Amino acid sequence: MQPAPTPTRTDSPADRQKPADAVGRVLNRGLNVRHIRFMALGSAIGTGLFYGSASAIQKAGPAVLVAYIIGGAAVFMVMRALGEMAVRHPVSGSFSQYAGRYLGPLAGFVTGWTYVFEMAIVAIADVTAFSIYMGFWFPQVDRWIWVLAVICFLAALNLLSVKVFGELEFWFSLIKVAAIMAMIAGGAAIIAFGFQAGDSGVAPGPGNLVEHGGLFPNGFEGLLASFAVVMFAFGGIETLGITAGEAADPKKVIPKAVNTVPVRVLLFYVLTLGVLMSLFPWNEVGSNGSPFVQIFSSLGIPAAPHILNAVVITAALSAINSDIFGAGRILFGLSNQGHAPAVFGKVSRHGVPWMTVVMMAGILLVGVVLNAVIPEDVFLVIASIATFATVWVWVMILASHVAMKREIARKGLAASEFPSPWWPAASVLTIAFMALVIAVLGAFEDTRIALYVGAVWLGLLVLAYRLWVTGDGRRRAHLEDETSPLPVVASGPGS
């Protein structure tokens, strides 16, 4: 993990490559605002909504809407903090480099590798889910074959230019968003015209949100318990910050994406689940298969299961695609910081860090083995472990942002072009909420394993840093400040 010897402190490992090799360490800026907006949107609309929402509803009942509103507000503040740093420092390593710059090299090392860990766990869950979905149409085919096929397919696509990845993710996300909008519109039509929702003996309507035990049927404890799945559902939206290193115009596209995506995600979750629980009593949601099959079936569409299966397959492909991209770019940044082997910092002639894609494909091959031994009811365990990793990364983003804002004030630096709102109160409250989510994981027996796994993982990372990271890897990351200085207004006559 040691970078090449260096005569100076300020040069990054990437800058010290031979001239012929330096070209092979630069990412292409091929992502436009359309790509980035849908990538961030699609990364947060996937397994957590299509598969995990039923689990969250069973824990909290209709109060899960409150959980999504609170969680969505917290995630929006995380994204504004990340957006401010990404516009100031549009680098490929994103939040791992921000942590390394403002909190110290150990924080950068732990944050980067924890995100890779998060993406690996989620991706393995997603490839397993993909194989289950394909088994609906092809039950005679072994699941591991589908896992292997999707890994090879997406790895090959990720080795092409980043623009190909962006286009693929755009269309994947568009299909998911269109399906959700169709569900909302169809469910609203059932409620408005008073149709009977499938085989349910309860008339559809907003009254279902309060007529089956009230808005909080499982009390405040149920609301808290749902946060383990709710925050997992929003996980992945931080991928938006990673795109800054490959955005064609980061100062334009990052603010647009940050300001629109969290609101849209919040609306999709709250509206979709609100319509769903208006159609069916909350304790019937997910009891007979996917909650989204219930909506399509209520519309009298015979092919409802097949339509939904196509949608969730697309959702799984999109999620895996984003996982490979996000983990790969963070590994690229870690390599440039001296926190990962140098081979992860080399890129192909298409401007893609090819070795990071190969590594993620190798990790996903574990899914081929686990697919045969992990039971399908392990989702909550995977979700809780991923939630811990996700929340840890979000806390590091917020802490890095706080440190950056303090440095700006202390040194009198140029004000940020995309400042986070309600500073500092919103940042402090968001950090406190994230601490609450981690406490919730430990408070309930079925999610407590996440804290054990998380503690062991963080301990191993600290040990790895002490043993293997040396040289420039022990120094704070050097990031160029690309904030445009404020124009100087001349004083006096004629000004």
Coordinates of all heavy atoms in Angstrom, one line a residue, residues 220-312:
F220 N -44.1 4.5 19.6 CA -42.9 5.2 19.2 C -41.7 4.2 19.0 O -40.8 4.4 18.1 CB -42.5 6.2 20.3 CG -41.3 7.0 20.0 CD1 -41.4 8.0 19.0 CD2 -40.1 6.9 20.7 CE1 -40.3 8.8 18.7 CE2 -39.0 7.7 20.4 CZ -39.1 8.7 19.4
E221 N -41.8 3.1 19.7 CA -40.7 2.0 19.5 C -40.7 1.5 18.1 O -39.7 1.2 17.5 CB -40.9 0.9 20.5 CG -39.9 -0.2 20.4 CD -40.1 -1.3 21.5 OE1 -40.5 -0.9 22.6 OE2 -39.8 -2.4 21.2
G222 N -41.9 1.3 17.5 CA -42.0 0.8 16.2 C -41.4 1.8 15.2 O -40.8 1.4 14.2
L223 N -41.7 3.1 15.4 CA -41.1 4.1 14.5 C -39.6 4.1 14.6 O -38.9 4.1 13.5 CB -41.6 5.5 15.0 CG -41.0 6.7 14.3 CD1 -41.5 6.7 12.8 CD2 -41.4 8.0 15.0
L224 N -39.0 4.0 15.8 CA -37.6 3.9 15.9 C -37.0 2.7 15.2 O -36.0 2.7 14.5 CB -37.1 3.9 17.4 CG -37.3 5.2 18.1 CD1 -36.9 5.0 19.6 CD2 -36.4 6.3 17.5
A225 N -37.7 1.5 15.4 CA -37.2 0.3 14.8 C -37.2 0.3 13.3 O -36.3 -0.3 12.6 CB -38.1 -0.9 15.2
S226 N -38.1 1.1 12.7 CA -38.1 1.2 11.2 C -37.0 1.9 10.6 O -36.7 1.8 9.4 CB -39.4 1.9 10.8 OG -39.4 3.2 11.1
F227 N -36.2 2.7 11.4 CA -35.1 3.5 10.8 C -34.0 2.6 10.3 O -33.3 3.0 9.4 CB -34.6 4.5 11.9 CG -35.4 5.7 12.0 CD1 -36.0 6.1 13.2 CD2 -35.5 6.6 10.9 CE1 -36.7 7.2 13.3 CE2 -36.3 7.8 11.0 CZ -36.9 8.1 12.2
A228 N -33.9 1.4 10.8 CA -32.9 0.5 10.3 C -33.1 0.2 8.8 O -32.1 0.1 8.0 CB -32.8 -0.8 11.1
V229 N -34.3 0.0 8.4 CA -34.6 -0.2 7.0 C -34.8 1.1 6.2 O -34.4 1.2 5.0 CB -35.9 -1.1 6.9 CG1 -36.2 -1.3 5.4 CG2 -35.7 -2.4 7.6
V230 N -35.4 2.1 6.8 CA -35.6 3.4 6.2 C -34.3 4.0 5.7 O -34.2 4.4 4.6 CB -36.4 4.3 7.1 CG1 -36.4 5.8 6.5 CG2 -37.8 3.8 7.3
M231 N -33.3 4.1 6.6 CA -32.0 4.7 6.2 C -31.3 3.8 5.2 O -30.5 4.3 4.4 CB -31.2 5.0 7.5 CG -31.9 5.9 8.5 SD -32.6 7.4 7.8 CE -31.2 8.3 7.3
F232 N -31.5 2.5 5.3 CA -30.9 1.6 4.3 C -31.4 2.0 2.9 O -30.7 2.0 1.9 CB -31.2 0.2 4.6 CG -30.9 -0.8 3.5 CD1 -29.6 -1.2 3.2 CD2 -31.9 -1.3 2.7 CE1 -29.3 -2.0 2.1 CE2 -31.7 -2.2 1.6 CZ -30.4 -2.6 1.4
A233 N -32.7 2.3 2.8 CA -33.3 2.6 1.6 C -32.7 3.9 0.9 O -32.6 3.9 -0.3 CB -34.9 2.9 1.8
F234 N -32.3 4.8 1.7 CA -31.7 6.1 1.2 C -30.2 5.9 0.9 O -29.6 6.7 0.2 CB -31.9 7.2 2.2 CG -33.3 7.8 2.2 CD1 -34.0 7.8 3.4 CD2 -33.9 8.3 1.1 CE1 -35.3 8.3 3.5 CE2 -35.2 8.8 1.1 CZ -35.9 8.8 2.3
G235 N -29.6 4.8 1.3 CA -28.2 4.6 1.1 C -27.9 4.5 -0.3 O -28.6 3.9 -1.1
G236 N -26.8 5.1 -0.7 CA -26.3 5.1 -2.1 C -26.4 6.4 -2.7 O -25.8 6.7 -3.8
I237 N -27.3 7.3 -2.1 CA -27.4 8.6 -2.7 C -26.2 9.4 -2.7 O -25.9 10.3 -3.5 CB -28.6 9.4 -2.1 CG1 -29.1 10.5 -2.9 CG2 -28.2 9.8 -0.7 CD1 -30.4 11.1 -2.5
E238 N -25.3 9.1 -1.7 CA -24.0 9.8 -1.7 C -23.1 9.5 -2.9 O -22.1 10.2 -3.1 CB -23.2 9.4 -0.4 CG -22.7 8.0 -0.3 CD -23.8 7.0 0.2 OE1 -25.0 7.4 0.4 OE2 -23.4 5.8 0.3
T239 N -23.5 8.6 -3.7 CA -22.7 8.3 -5.0 C -22.7 9.6 -5.8 O -21.8 9.8 -6.6 CB -23.4 7.2 -5.8 OG1 -23.5 6.0 -5.0 CG2 -22.7 6.9 -7.0
L240 N -23.6 10.5 -5.6 CA -23.7 11.7 -6.4 C -22.3 12.5 -6.2 O -21.8 13.0 -7.2 CB -24.8 12.6 -5.9 CG -25.1 13.9 -6.7 CD1 -26.6 14.2 -6.6 CD2 -24.3 15.0 -6.1
G241 N -21.8 12.5 -5.0 CA -20.6 13.2 -4.7 C -19.4 12.6 -5.5 O -18.5 13.4 -5.9
I242 N -19.4 11.3 -5.7 CA -18.3 10.6 -6.4 C -18.3 11.1 -7.8 O -17.2 11.1 -8.4 CB -18.5 9.1 -6.2 CG1 -18.5 8.7 -4.8 CG2 -17.4 8.4 -7.0 CD1 -18.8 7.3 -4.5
T243 N -19.4 11.4 -8.4 CA -19.4 11.8 -9.8 C -18.7 13.1 -10.1 O -18.5 13.4 -11.3 CB -20.9 11.9 -10.3 OG1 -21.6 13.0 -9.7 CG2 -21.7 10.6 -10.1
A244 N -18.4 13.9 -9.1 CA -17.8 15.2 -9.3 C -16.5 15.1 -10.1 O -16.2 16.0 -10.9 CB -17.6 15.9 -7.9
G245 N -15.8 14.1 -9.9 CA -14.5 13.9 -10.6 C -14.7 13.6 -12.0 O -13.7 13.7 -12.8
E246 N -15.9 13.2 -12.4 CA -16.1 12.9 -13.9 C -17.2 13.7 -14.5 O -17.7 13.4 -15.5 CB -16.4 11.4 -14.0 CG -15.1 10.6 -13.7 CD -15.4 9.1 -13.6 OE1 -15.7 8.7 -12.4 OE2 -15.4 8.4 -14.6
A247 N -17.7 14.7 -13.7 CA -18.7 15.6 -14.3 C -18.1 16.6 -15.2 O -17.0 17.2 -15.0 CB -19.4 16.3 -13.1
A248 N -18.8 16.9 -16.3 CA -18.3 17.8 -17.3 C -18.2 19.2 -16.8 O -17.3 20.0 -17.1 CB -19.2 17.8 -18.6
D249 N -19.1 19.6 -15.9 CA -19.1 20.9 -15.3 C -19.6 20.8 -13.9 O -20.8 21.1 -13.6 CB -20.0 21.9 -16.1 CG -19.9 23.3 -15.6 OD1 -19.2 23.6 -14.6 OD2 -20.6 24.2 -16.2
P250 N -18.8 20.4 -12.9 CA -19.2 20.1 -11.6 C -19.9 21.3 -10.9 O -20.8 21.1 -10.1 CB -17.9 19.7 -10.8 CG -16.8 20.0 -11.7 CD -17.3 20.1 -13.1
K251 N -19.5 22.5 -11.1 CA -20.1 23.6 -10.5 C -21.5 23.9 -10.9 O -22.3 24.5 -10.2 CB -19.3 24.9 -10.7 CG -17.9 24.9 -10.0 CD -17.2 26.2 -10.1 CE -15.8 26.1 -9.4 NZ -15.1 27.4 -9.5
K252 N -21.9 23.3 -12.1 CA -23.2 23.5 -12.6 C -24.1 22.3 -12.3 O -25.2 22.4 -11.8 CB -23.2 23.7 -14.1 CG -24.6 23.8 -14.8 CD -24.5 24.0 -16.3 CE -25.8 24.0 -16.9 NZ -25.7 24.1 -18.4
V253 N -23.6 21.1 -12.5 CA -24.4 19.9 -12.4 C -24.6 19.4 -11.0 O -25.6 18.9 -10.6 CB -23.8 18.7 -13.3 CG1 -23.7 19.2 -14.8 CG2 -22.5 18.3 -12.8
I254 N -23.6 19.5 -10.1 CA -23.7 19.0 -8.8 C -24.8 19.8 -8.0 O -25.7 19.1 -7.4 CB -22.3 19.1 -8.0 CG1 -21.3 18.2 -8.7 CG2 -22.5 18.7 -6.6 CD1 -21.7 16.7 -8.6
P255 N -24.8 21.1 -8.0 CA -25.9 21.8 -7.3 C -27.3 21.4 -7.8 O -28.2 21.3 -7.0 CB -25.6 23.3 -7.5 CG -24.1 23.3 -7.7 CD -23.8 22.1 -8.5
K256 N -27.4 21.3 -9.1 CA -28.7 21.0 -9.7 C -29.2 19.6 -9.2 O -30.3 19.4 -8.8 CB -28.7 21.0 -11.2 CG -28.7 22.4 -11.8 CD -28.8 22.4 -13.3 CE -28.9 23.8 -13.9 NZ -29.0 23.7 -15.4
A257 N -28.2 18.7 -9.2 CA -28.6 17.3 -8.8 C -28.9 17.2 -7.3 O -29.8 16.6 -6.9 CB -27.5 16.3 -9.2
V258 N -28.1 17.9 -6.5 CA -28.3 17.9 -5.1 C -29.6 18.5 -4.7 O -30.4 17.9 -3.9 CB -27.2 18.6 -4.4 CG1 -27.5 18.9 -2.9 CG2 -25.9 17.8 -4.4
N259 N -30.0 19.6 -5.3 CA -31.2 20.3 -5.0 C -32.5 19.6 -5.4 O -33.6 19.8 -4.8 CB -31.2 21.7 -5.5 CG -30.3 22.6 -4.7 OD1 -30.1 22.4 -3.5 ND2 -29.8 23.7 -5.4
T260 N -32.4 18.7 -6.4 CA -33.6 18.1 -6.9 C -33.8 16.6 -6.5 O -34.9 16.2 -6.2 CB -33.7 18.1 -8.5 OG1 -32.5 17.5 -9.0 CG2 -33.7 19.6 -9.0
V261 N -32.7 15.9 -6.4 CA -32.8 14.5 -6.1 C -33.4 14.1 -4.8 O -34.3 13.3 -4.7 CB -31.5 13.8 -6.4 CG1 -31.5 12.3 -5.9 CG2 -31.1 13.8 -7.9
P262 N -32.8 14.7 -3.7 CA -33.4 14.3 -2.4 C -34.9 14.6 -2.2 O -35.6 13.8 -1.7 CB -32.6 15.2 -1.4 CG -31.3 15.5 -2.1 CD -31.7 15.6 -3.5
V263 N -35.3 15.7 -2.8 CA -36.8 16.0 -2.7 C -37.6 15.0 -3.5 O -38.6 14.5 -3.0 CB -37.0 17.4 -3.2 CG1 -38.5 17.7 -3.2 CG2 -36.3 18.5 -2.3
R264 N -37.1 14.6 -4.6 CA -37.8 13.7 -5.5 C -37.8 12.3 -4.8 O -38.9 11.6 -4.8 CB -37.1 13.6 -6.8 CG -37.3 14.8 -7.7 CD -36.7 14.6 -9.0 NE -36.8 15.8 -9.9 CZ -36.4 15.8 -11.1 NH1 -36.0 14.8 -11.7 NH2 -36.5 17.0 -11.8
V265 N -36.7 11.9 -4.2 CA -36.7 10.6 -3.6 C -37.7 10.6 -2.4 O -38.4 9.6 -2.2 CB -35.3 10.3 -3.1 CG1 -35.3 9.1 -2.1 CG2 -34.3 10.0 -4.2
L266 N -37.7 11.6 -1.6 CA -38.6 11.7 -0.5 C -40.1 11.6 -1.0 O -40.9 10.9 -0.4 CB -38.4 13.1 0.2 CG -39.2 13.3 1.5 CD1 -39.0 12.2 2.5 CD2 -38.9 14.7 2.1
L267 N -40.4 12.4 -2.0 CA -41.7 12.3 -2.6 C -42.1 10.9 -3.1 O -43.2 10.4 -2.9 CB -41.9 13.4 -3.7 CG -41.9 14.8 -3.2 CD1 -42.0 15.7 -4.4 CD2 -43.0 15.1 -2.2
F268 N -41.2 10.3 -3.8 CA -41.4 9.0 -4.3 C -41.7 8.0 -3.2 O -42.7 7.2 -3.2 CB -40.3 8.4 -5.1 CG -40.2 9.1 -6.5 CD1 -38.9 9.3 -7.1 CD2 -41.3 9.4 -7.2 CE1 -38.9 9.9 -8.3 CE2 -41.2 9.9 -8.5 CZ -40.0 10.2 -9.0
Y269 N -40.9 8.0 -2.1 CA -41.1 7.1 -1.0 C -42.4 7.4 -0.3 O -43.3 6.5 0.0 CB -40.0 7.1 0.0 CG -38.8 6.3 -0.4 CD1 -37.7 6.8 -1.1 CD2 -38.8 4.9 -0.1 CE1 -36.6 6.0 -1.5 CE2 -37.7 4.1 -0.5 CZ -36.7 4.7 -1.1 OH -35.6 3.9 -1.5
V270 N -42.6 8.7 0.1 CA -43.8 9.0 0.9 C -45.1 8.9 0.1 O -46.1 8.3 0.6 CB -43.7 10.5 1.4 CG1 -44.9 10.9 2.1 CG2 -42.5 10.6 2.4
L271 N -45.1 9.3 -1.1 CA -46.3 9.2 -1.9 C -46.6 7.8 -2.2 O -47.8 7.3 -2.1 CB -46.2 10.0 -3.2 CG -46.5 11.5 -3.2 CD1 -46.3 12.1 -4.5 CD2 -47.9 11.7 -2.7
T272 N -45.6 7.0 -2.7 CA -45.9 5.6 -3.0 C -46.4 4.8 -1.9 O -47.4 4.1 -2.0 CB -44.6 5.0 -3.6 OG1 -44.1 5.8 -4.6 CG2 -44.8 3.6 -4.1
L273 N -45.7 4.9 -0.7 CA -46.1 4.1 0.4 C -47.4 4.6 1.0 O -48.2 3.9 1.6 CB -45.0 4.1 1.5 CG -43.7 3.4 1.0 CD1 -42.7 3.4 2.2 CD2 -44.0 2.0 0.5
G274 N -47.7 6.0 0.9 CA -48.9 6.5 1.4 C -50.1 6.0 0.6 O -51.1 5.6 1.1
V275 N -49.9 5.9 -0.8 CA -51.0 5.3 -1.6 C -51.2 3.9 -1.3 O -52.3 3.4 -1.2 CB -50.6 5.6 -3.1 CG1 -51.5 4.7 -4.0 CG2 -50.7 7.0 -3.5
L276 N -50.0 3.2 -1.1 CA -50.1 1.7 -0.9 C -50.9 1.4 0.4 O -51.8 0.6 0.4 CB -48.7 1.2 -0.7 CG -48.5 -0.3 -0.4 CD1 -49.1 -1.2 -1.5 CD2 -47.1 -0.7 -0.2
M277 N -50.6 2.2 1.5 CA -51.3 1.9 2.8 C -52.7 2.5 2.8 O -53.5 2.2 3.7 CB -50.5 2.5 3.9 CG -49.2 1.6 4.2 SD -48.3 2.2 5.6 CE -47.6 3.7 5.0
S278 N -53.0 3.3 1.8 CA -54.4 3.8 1.7 C -55.3 2.7 1.0 O -56.5 2.6 1.2 CB -54.5 5.1 0.9 OG -53.9 6.1 1.6
L279 N -54.6 1.9 0.1 CA -55.3 0.8 -0.6 C -55.5 -0.4 0.3 O -56.5 -1.0 0.2 CB -54.5 0.4 -1.9 CG -54.3 1.5 -3.0 CD1 -53.4 0.9 -4.1 CD2 -55.7 1.8 -3.6
F280 N -54.5 -0.7 1.1 CA -54.5 -1.9 1.9 C -54.2 -1.5 3.4 O -53.4 -0.7 3.6 CB -53.5 -2.9 1.4 CG -53.7 -3.3 0.0 CD1 -52.9 -2.6 -1.0 CD2 -54.5 -4.3 -0.4 CE1 -53.0 -3.0 -2.3 CE2 -54.6 -4.6 -1.7 CZ -53.9 -4.0 -2.7
P281 N -54.9 -2.1 4.3 CA -54.4 -1.9 5.7 C -53.0 -2.3 5.8 O -52.5 -3.2 5.2 CB -55.3 -3.0 6.5 CG -56.5 -3.1 5.6 CD -56.0 -3.1 4.2
W282 N -52.2 -1.5 6.7 CA -50.8 -1.7 6.7 C -50.4 -3.1 7.1 O -49.3 -3.6 6.7 CB -50.2 -0.7 7.7 CG -50.6 -1.0 9.2 CD1 -51.7 -0.5 9.8 CD2 -49.9 -1.8 10.1 NE1 -51.8 -0.9 11.1 CE2 -50.7 -1.8 11.3 CE3 -48.8 -2.6 10.1 CZ2 -50.3 -2.5 12.5 CZ3 -48.4 -3.3 11.2 CH2 -49.2 -3.2 12.4
N283 N -51.2 -3.8 7.9 CA -50.8 -5.2 8.3 C -51.1 -6.2 7.2 O -50.8 -7.4 7.4 CB -51.6 -5.6 9.6 CG -53.1 -5.4 9.5 OD1 -53.6 -4.9 8.5 ND2 -53.8 -5.7 10.5
E284 N -51.6 -5.8 6.1 CA -51.8 -6.7 4.9 C -50.7 -6.5 3.9 O -50.6 -7.2 2.9 CB -53.2 -6.5 4.3 CG -54.3 -7.0 5.2 CD -55.7 -6.8 4.4 OE1 -55.7 -6.6 3.2 OE2 -56.7 -6.9 5.1
V285 N -50.0 -5.4 4.0 CA -49.0 -5.0 3.0 C -47.8 -6.0 3.0 O -47.2 -6.3 4.1 CB -48.4 -3.6 3.2 CG1 -47.3 -3.3 2.3 CG2 -49.5 -2.6 3.0
G286 N -47.6 -6.6 1.9 CA -46.5 -7.6 1.8 C -46.8 -9.0 2.3 O -45.9 -9.9 2.3
S287 N -48.0 -9.2 2.8 CA -48.4 -10.5 3.4 C -48.6 -11.5 2.2 O -48.5 -12.7 2.5 CB -49.6 -10.4 4.2 OG -50.7 -9.9 3.5
N288 N -48.9 -11.0 1.1 CA -49.1 -11.9 -0.1 C -48.2 -11.5 -1.2 O -48.7 -11.2 -2.3 CB -50.6 -11.9 -0.5 CG -51.5 -12.4 0.5 OD1 -51.3 -13.5 1.1 ND2 -52.5 -11.6 0.8
G289 N -46.9 -11.6 -1.0 CA -45.9 -11.2 -2.0 C -45.6 -9.7 -1.9 O -45.8 -9.1 -0.9
S290 N -45.0 -9.3 -3.0 CA -44.5 -7.9 -3.0 C -45.6 -6.9 -2.9 O -46.7 -7.1 -3.5 CB -43.7 -7.6 -4.3 OG -43.5 -6.2 -4.5
P291 N -45.4 -5.8 -2.1 CA -46.5 -4.8 -2.0 C -46.8 -4.1 -3.3 O -47.9 -3.7 -3.5 CB -45.9 -3.8 -1.0 CG -44.5 -4.1 -1.0 CD -44.3 -5.5 -1.3
F292 N -45.9 -4.1 -4.2 CA -46.1 -3.5 -5.5 C -46.9 -4.4 -6.5 O -47.5 -3.9 -7.4 CB -44.8 -3.0 -6.1 CG -44.1 -1.9 -5.2 CD1 -43.2 -2.3 -4.3 CD2 -44.5 -0.6 -5.3 CE1 -42.6 -1.3 -3.5 CE2 -44.0 0.4 -4.5 CZ -43.0 0.0 -3.6
V293 N -46.7 -5.7 -6.3 CA -47.6 -6.6 -7.1 C -49.0 -6.3 -6.6 O -50.0 -6.4 -7.5 CB -47.2 -8.0 -6.8 CG1 -48.2 -9.0 -7.4 CG2 -45.8 -8.3 -7.5
Q294 N -49.3 -6.0 -5.4 CA -50.6 -5.8 -4.9 C -51.3 -4.6 -5.6 O -52.4 -4.6 -5.9 CB -50.6 -5.5 -3.4 CG -50.3 -6.8 -2.5 CD -50.2 -6.5 -1.1 OE1 -49.2 -6.0 -0.5 NE2 -51.4 -6.7 -0.4
I295 N -50.5 -3.6 -5.8 CA -51.0 -2.4 -6.5 C -51.4 -2.7 -7.9 O -52.5 -2.4 -8.4 CB -50.0 -1.2 -6.5 CG1 -49.8 -0.7 -5.1 CG2 -50.5 -0.1 -7.4 CD1 -48.9 0.5 -5.0
F296 N -50.5 -3.4 -8.7 CA -50.8 -3.7 -10.1 C -52.0 -4.7 -10.1 O -52.8 -4.6 -11.0 CB -49.6 -4.3 -10.7 CG -48.6 -3.3 -11.3 CD1 -47.3 -3.3 -10.8 CD2 -49.0 -2.4 -12.2 CE1 -46.4 -2.3 -11.3 CE2 -48.1 -1.4 -12.7 CZ -46.8 -1.4 -12.2
S297 N -52.0 -5.6 -9.2 CA -53.1 -6.6 -9.2 C -54.5 -5.9 -9.0 O -55.5 -6.2 -9.5 CB -52.9 -7.7 -8.2 OG -51.7 -8.4 -8.5
S298 N -54.4 -4.9 -8.1 CA -55.6 -4.1 -7.8 C -56.2 -3.4 -9.0 O -57.4 -3.1 -9.1 CB -55.4 -3.1 -6.6 OG -55.0 -3.8 -5.5
L299 N -55.3 -3.1 -9.9 CA -55.7 -2.4 -11.1 C -56.3 -3.3 -12.1 O -56.8 -2.9 -13.2 CB -54.5 -1.6 -11.7 CG -53.9 -0.5 -10.9 CD1 -52.6 0.0 -11.6 CD2 -54.9 0.7 -10.9
G300 N -56.4 -4.6 -11.8 CA -57.0 -5.6 -12.7 C -56.1 -5.9 -13.9 O -56.5 -6.3 -15.0
I301 N -54.7 -5.8 -13.7 CA -53.8 -6.1 -14.8 C -53.3 -7.5 -14.6 O -52.7 -7.9 -13.6 CB -52.6 -5.2 -14.7 CG1 -53.0 -3.7 -14.8 CG2 -51.6 -5.5 -15.8 CD1 -51.9 -2.7 -14.7
P302 N -53.7 -8.4 -15.5 CA -53.4 -9.9 -15.3 C -51.9 -10.1 -15.2 O -51.4 -11.0 -14.5 CB -54.0 -10.5 -16.6 CG -55.0 -9.5 -17.1 CD -54.5 -8.2 -16.7
A303 N -51.1 -9.3 -16.0 CA -49.7 -9.6 -16.0 C -48.9 -8.8 -14.9 O -47.7 -8.6 -15.1 CB -49.1 -9.2 -17.4
A304 N -49.6 -8.4 -13.9 CA -49.0 -7.6 -12.8 C -47.7 -8.2 -12.3 O -46.7 -7.5 -12.2 CB -50.0 -7.4 -11.7
P305 N -47.7 -9.5 -11.9 CA -46.4 -10.0 -11.4 C -45.3 -9.9 -12.4 O -44.1 -9.7 -12.0 CB -46.8 -11.5 -11.1 CG -48.2 -11.5 -10.9 CD -48.8 -10.5 -11.9
H306 N -45.6 -10.1 -13.7 CA -44.5 -10.1 -14.7 C -44.0 -8.6 -14.9 O -42.8 -8.4 -15.2 CB -45.0 -10.6 -16.1 CG -45.4 -12.1 -16.0 ND1 -44.5 -13.1 -16.0 CD2 -46.6 -12.7 -15.8 CE1 -45.1 -14.3 -15.9 NE2 -46.4 -14.1 -15.8
I307 N -45.0 -7.7 -14.9 CA -44.6 -6.3 -15.0 C -43.7 -5.9 -13.9 O -42.6 -5.3 -14.1 CB -45.8 -5.4 -15.1 CG1 -46.6 -5.6 -16.3 CG2 -45.4 -3.9 -15.0 CD1 -48.0 -4.9 -16.4
L308 N -44.1 -6.2 -12.7 CA -43.3 -5.8 -11.5 C -41.9 -6.5 -11.6 O -40.9 -6.0 -11.2 CB -44.0 -6.2 -10.2 CG -43.1 -5.8 -9.0 CD1 -43.2 -4.3 -8.7 CD2 -43.4 -6.6 -7.8
N309 N -41.9 -7.8 -12.0 CA -40.6 -8.5 -12.0 C -39.7 -7.9 -13.0 O -38.5 -7.8 -12.7 CB -40.9 -10.0 -12.5 CG -39.8 -10.9 -12.0 OD1 -39.4 -10.9 -10.8 ND2 -39.2 -11.7 -13.0
A310 N -40.2 -7.4 -14.1 CA -39.3 -6.6 -15.0 C -38.7 -5.4 -14.4 O -37.6 -5.0 -14.6 CB -40.1 -6.3 -16.3
V311 N -39.6 -4.7 -13.6 CA -39.2 -3.5 -13.0 C -38.1 -3.7 -11.9 O -37.1 -3.0 -11.8 CB -40.4 -2.7 -12.3 CG1 -39.9 -1.6 -11.5 CG2 -41.3 -2.3 -13.4
V312 N -38.3 -4.7 -11.1 CA -37.4 -5.0 -10.0 C -36.1 -5.6 -10.5 O -35.0 -5.3 -10.0 CB -38.0 -5.9 -8.9 CG1 -39.1 -5.3 -8.2 CG2 -38.4 -7.3 -9.5

